[in-house]
Amino acid sequence: MMSAVDFLAWVRGPMFNIALIIFIFGVIVRLLEMLLIGRKPDYSEARESAFAGGVRTIFRRFMPADTGTLQRSTTVIFAGYVFHIGFFIVLLLFVPHILLIKDTLGIQWAGLPTPIIDAATVMTLLALLVLLINRLVNPILRFLSTFQDYLIWLLVFLPVLTGYMAFHHFIQPYQLVLALHILSVELLMIVFPFTKLMHTFTLFFARWYNGAIAGRKGVKA
Amino acid sequence: MSDKTIGDSLREQGISRRGFLKFCATTASLLALPPAMIPQIAYALENTPRQSVIWLSFQECTGCTESLTRSHAPTIEGLIFDHISLDYHHTLQAAAGSAAERAREEAMKKNHGKYLLIVDGSIPTGNPGYSTIAGISNLDMLKEVAAGAAAIVAIGTCAAFGGLPKAAPNPTGAMSVSDLITDKPIINVPGCPPIPIVMTAVIAHFITFGKLPQLDNLNRPMAFYGQNIHDRCYRRPFYEKGLFANTFDDEGAKKGWCLYKLGCKGPTTYNACATTKWNDGVSFPIESGHGCLGCSEPQFWDGGSFYKPLSVPTIKVHDVMAYTAIAGAAVGLTVGGLNAMKKTNAVKQHETVTIDDLERK
C-alpha cells in the first residue's frame, strides 16, 4: 500500500502535472471555442457606447438586480456571497497558497494571519452547507438540480474541508491530510473546464455581451 | 551478557544515587510514562545485567555514531550507553579483523535470542559487493545477526527508511531494515542523525519493560516522534501571524520569524528536535536560522527542494504550463476555425425562400 509520504509526493509531483495540463488545456480550448463564435454584426446606428454598457453590466450584476429578486432568493444571494468571498479569502490570502501562485505564475502579494483565514474557512463551509440544504429543501431548486450540481458542490466543499482538517491536524500523520487536501484541489482542477465551474471566466463574457447589446441600444441595463 | 549490572557500572564511574534517580526521572518523562514508573525504571536499571548489544554499520556515513558519541561527555545517558555491553561495533571497538568478527559470533552465541541488534545504514540489495564487512555481504550479515536478536533498532534514516543511499536513482538497490526483516520487532529511530537521548531512552525502556515502547505508524517511538516540529516550534506564533523570513538575511530572518517560505519542512516532520534539542539542549536547526530538512521522514532527500515551501509542487511546472497553453491555443483556434467554416458554408448554402415559392408548392 502507498504510504502517506508516497501519496504526498505523488500529489505534489506527477498528479499535479496531470491536473495542471487538463486544467490549462481545457480552459483555453473552451474559452477560445466560445469566444471565436463571435456575434452577428449589428448594422444599426449605435445610440450609446456598447463598451460602456458592457463594462457597466460586468460590475452592476454583482448587486442583486431588484428587491423582488432579493426577496425571492434571499438565502441563495446571501449564502452565495458569503461562500464566494470566503472562498476567495482562503484561496488567495492564505500564505502557503500565495507561495504556490508565486511558484507557478511568478506573482505574489501579502497574506493574512491564520486566525482570519481560519474564520473565513468556517464561514465558507457553513455557507456551502446552507446552500446545499436550501437546494434540497426548496422544491423548485431541487427539481432543477442535476447530478452535476451536487458533484460540483462536493468538489468545491472537499478542498475547503480538507484544508481546514489539514490546518487543525484532524488526521494523523499530517502528510496524509495534506495530500488529501492537494488531491481534492486537483480533482477540482480536472473537472473545472468541463462543468459549470467555467462560470469563473464565462460570467464576465456573458455580462459583457448582455451589457454591450443593451448599451448599444441605449438601454440602461 | 556480563554479570556486572548497570548500577554497578554507574557507581564505579562515580555517579551519585541522586544523579542516577534524576536520569530515571528524565527518562520516564521523556517517554511520557507516569511518575510511578520511575522506581521501576531505577530498579530495572540497577539490577539488570548489562544488555548485550550488537551494532552493525552498513551503507552509512558514521554520522549516527558520531551523534551518539558526541553527546556532551560525560552525560549520564552517555555513560549508560557506555555501560551496555556493546559487543560489536566496528567503528568503536578496539578489536579488528577476524578478532572483531569473533567477538560478534561469540556474543551471538552466548546471548542468542536476548541481544539487541542496532543497525545503522541501509542494506544494498543490488550487487552484494557494494558493501561488505570481513567479506560478508551486508544482507547476509543482517539476516544472520537478526535471526538471534530479541529486537532490532534501526538507527538513523538510512537503516529506518533507506535514507540517502536509497535516494533516486538508488544505484545500490538500498533498502531499509524493515524492508528485509519481517519476523522481529523493529523500532525505527530515524534522523540524519537521530538525537542521542532518543537512543538511550529506547534502550532504557527495553531494559525496564523487556519490550519496545509504543510506536507510531512508521515504527518510531511515539514519545519522541509523536508530534511534528511545526507544532512544537517556538517560531510557530510568527507563522500564525503571517510573519516570515523571505531570505536568510532579511529583517524577518534577523527577527527570528517563521522559515516556512524558505522551505522549512517542520509541518511534515515528526521528531523531538524542537523539544529535546541538540548539543545538550543548546538549540536545534530552526533556532540556528535554517529550516527543518525533514531528515527523520522517509524519502526526505527526494521530497522536493529543501529551499522551496511545502505548498509548492515538487516538479518544475513552467515548461509544462507553456507547452500546454500553446497546445490548448492551437486546438482552440482549430476548433474555432472549423466552426467558422461551418458557419460560412451554412450561409453560402442558405437558399432564400419567398412567399411565391411556398405558394407554388
Side-chain angles (χ1 to χ4, degrees):
Chain A
M1 212 187 84
M2 203 186 221
S3 75
V5 174
D6 293 329
F7 184 27
L8 181 62
W10 182 66
V11 296
R12 286 181 70 200
M15 185 58 196
F16 185 79
N17 230 347
I18 293 168
L20 196 68
I21 288 171
I22 296 175
F23 176 76
I24 294 176
F25 184 82
V27 167
I28 291 180
V29 169
R30 290 214 57 202
L31 282 181
L32 279 176
E33 190 187 1
M34 279 186 269
L35 289 173
L36 287 176
I37 290 172
R39 300 197 66 81
K40 270 187 185 168
D42 187 342
Y43 297 115
S44 66
E45 197 184 331
R47 290 198 178 123
E48 275 177 39
S49 161
F51 181 79
V55 173
R56 193 168 58 231
T57 302
I58 285 180
F59 290 102
R60 186 169 285 180
R61 293 272 168 92
F62 281 117
M63 297 305 292
D66 56 87
T67 49
T69 311
L70 190 60
Q71 274 161 10
R72 276 193 303 277
S73 310
T74 321
T75 313
V76 172
I77 290 171
F78 274 106
Y81 263 92
V82 172
F83 155 68
H84 277 92
I85 293 169
F87 190 83
F88 280 115
I89 289 176
V90 175
L91 175 67
L92 299 177
L93 296 174
F94 184 46
V95 173
H97 297 167
I98 298 171
L99 294 175
L100 170 66
I101 294 165
K102 184 190 166 197
D103 191 67
T104 48
L105 300 176
I107 47 172
Q108 61 170 326
W109 48 83
L112 285 176
T114 55
I116 300 173
I117 301 295
D118 202 32
T121 310
V122 174
M123 300 254 291
T124 309
L125 288 172
L126 289 177
L128 275 168
L129 284 172
V130 167
L131 288 168
L132 179 68
I133 292 167
N134 186 56
R135 191 182 278 282
L136 292 168
V137 168
N138 185 315
I140 300 168
L141 264 180
R142 195 171 64 220
F143 177 73
L144 291 173
S145 296
T146 61
F147 170 73
Q148 199 199 100
D149 292 315
Y150 295 107
L151 177 74
I152 295 307
W153 182 90
L154 183 70
L155 290 178
V156 171
F157 189 77
L158 282 178
V160 190
L161 180 71
T162 53
Y164 186 75
M165 289 166 74
F167 183 76
H168 290 282
H169 293 210
F170 281 1
I171 299 175
Q172 290 290 352
Y174 177 73
Q175 285 98 327
L176 177 62
V177 68
L178 181 63
L180 286 172
H181 174 59
I182 297 172
L183 180 67
S184 69
V185 176
E186 286 162 354
L187 291 177
L188 191 69
M189 284 165 72
I190 288 171
V191 300
F192 189 99
F194 315 107
T195 55
K196 65 174 189 174
L197 288 167
M198 275 297 280
H199 80 270
T200 309
F201 301 112
T202 53
L203 82 98
F204 296 103
F205 307 124
R207 286 179 187 181
W208 168 267
Y209 279 141
N210 277 334
I213 292 163
R216 192 182 168 87
K217 290 176 182 166
V219 178
K220 296 269 183 261
Chain B
M1 293 178 201
S2 95
D3 298 333
K4 206 190 282 176
T5 67
I6 296 168
D8 293 337
S9 297
L10 289 174
R11 267 187 294 281
E12 273 173 25
Q13 294 288 324
I15 299 297
S16 68
R17 179 86 190 145
R18 168 180 283 267
F20 175 64
L21 286 174
K22 227 166 125 186
F23 170 76
C24 294
T26 312
T27 305
S29 84
L30 273 170
L31 287 165
L33 296 170
M37 287 292 173
I38 299 169
Q40 211 172 322
I41 294 173
Y43 181 82
L45 292 183
E46 184 83 50
N47 296 297
T48 311
R50 295 193 313 164
Q51 172 71 40
S52 167
V53 172
I54 294 177
W55 182 304
L56 299 178
S57 300
F58 296 140
Q59 293 192 124
E60 45 81 46
C61 67
T62 316
C64 297
T65 301
E66 289 282 344
S67 167
L68 290 164
T69 52
R70 293 194 184 182
S71 64
H72 249 60
T75 57
I76 299 183
E77 57 266 33
L79 287 173
I80 284 276
F81 186 70
D82 285 345
H83 294 93
I84 55 173
S85 178
L86 189 53
D87 293 324
Y88 179 83
H89 185 308
H90 68 221
T91 307
L92 299 179
Q93 71 193 141
S98 53
E101 294 312 306
R102 225 175 14 252
R104 175 174 65 82
E105 281 153 18
E106 271 170 24
M108 281 168 61
K109 215 155 111 191
K110 194 172 159 200
N111 306 307
H112 190 84
K114 287 182 283 188
Y115 59 84
L116 201 58
L117 168 60
I118 297 180
V119 179
D120 72 332
S122 65
I123 301 97
T125 57
N127 186 333
Y130 283 137
S131 176
T132 62
I133 299 159
I136 307 167
S137 78
N138 288 172
L139 185 59
D140 288 344
M141 190 179 276
L142 174 68
K143 281 184 175 162
E144 186 194 344
V145 183
I152 304 173
V153 184
I155 289 281
T157 303
C158 296
F161 306 129
L164 252 65
K166 201 186 175 186
N170 190 2
T172 64
M175 286 179 124
S176 70
V177 174
S178 49
D179 285 337
L180 298 164
I181 306 291
T182 49
D183 58 348
K184 292 282 171 185
I186 297 176
I187 182 166
N188 287 329
V189 184
C192 193
I195 304 169
I197 196 155
V198 176
M199 161 89 226
T200 50
V202 168
I203 293 172
H205 190 285
F206 186 75
I207 293 168
T208 309
F209 300 106
K211 59 177 184 185
L212 300 177
Q214 194 193 351
L215 304 178
D216 72 358
N217 64 329
L218 294 171
N219 287 334
R220 301 176 293 194
M222 281 291 263
F224 299 102
Y225 298 86
Q227 280 175 318
N228 67 35
I229 302 288
H230 188 56
D231 281 354
R232 306 299 290 173
C233 182
Y234 76 106
R235 295 197 189 202
R236 178 65 179 268
F238 296 115
Y239 173 87
E240 307 296 354
K241 282 183 192 164
L243 299 174
F244 297 90
N246 289 307
T247 64
F248 283 108
D249 59 354
D250 69 353
E251 237 1 74
K254 284 171 192 157
K255 285 181 177 158
W257 289 352
C258 178
L259 300 166
Y260 185 93
K261 285 188 179 179
L262 293 170
C264 180
K265 302 292 179 287
T268 50
T269 306
Y270 289 77
N271 206 341
C273 302
T275 39
T276 331
K277 302 196 178 176
W278 287 83
N279 300 326
D280 209 19
V282 170
S283 68
F284 69 114
I286 294 171
E287 207 169 340
S288 310
H290 193 288
C292 168
L293 301 180
C295 75
S296 60
E297 294 296 322
Q299 297 165 31
F300 85 101
W301 200 259
D302 290 326
S305 166
F306 288 151
Y307 299 102
K308 274 198 162 190
L310 257 177
S311 61
V312 310
T314 51
I315 43 162
K316 284 202 170 71
V317 291
H318 296 103
D319 286 352
V320 171
M321 285 168 70
Y323 290 133
T324 309
I326 292 167
V331 173
L333 288 172
T334 312
V335 172
L338 289 174
N339 286 338
M341 266 166 64
K342 211 167 157 187
K343 207 157 102 181
T344 320
N345 282 338
V347 171
K348 252 190 228 158
Q349 285 164 15
H350 179 74
E351 291 171 19
T352 43
V353 180
T354 63
I355 298 280
D356 295 338
D357 292 338
L358 290 171
E359 275 178 349
R360 262 207 302 275
K361 280 175 188 171

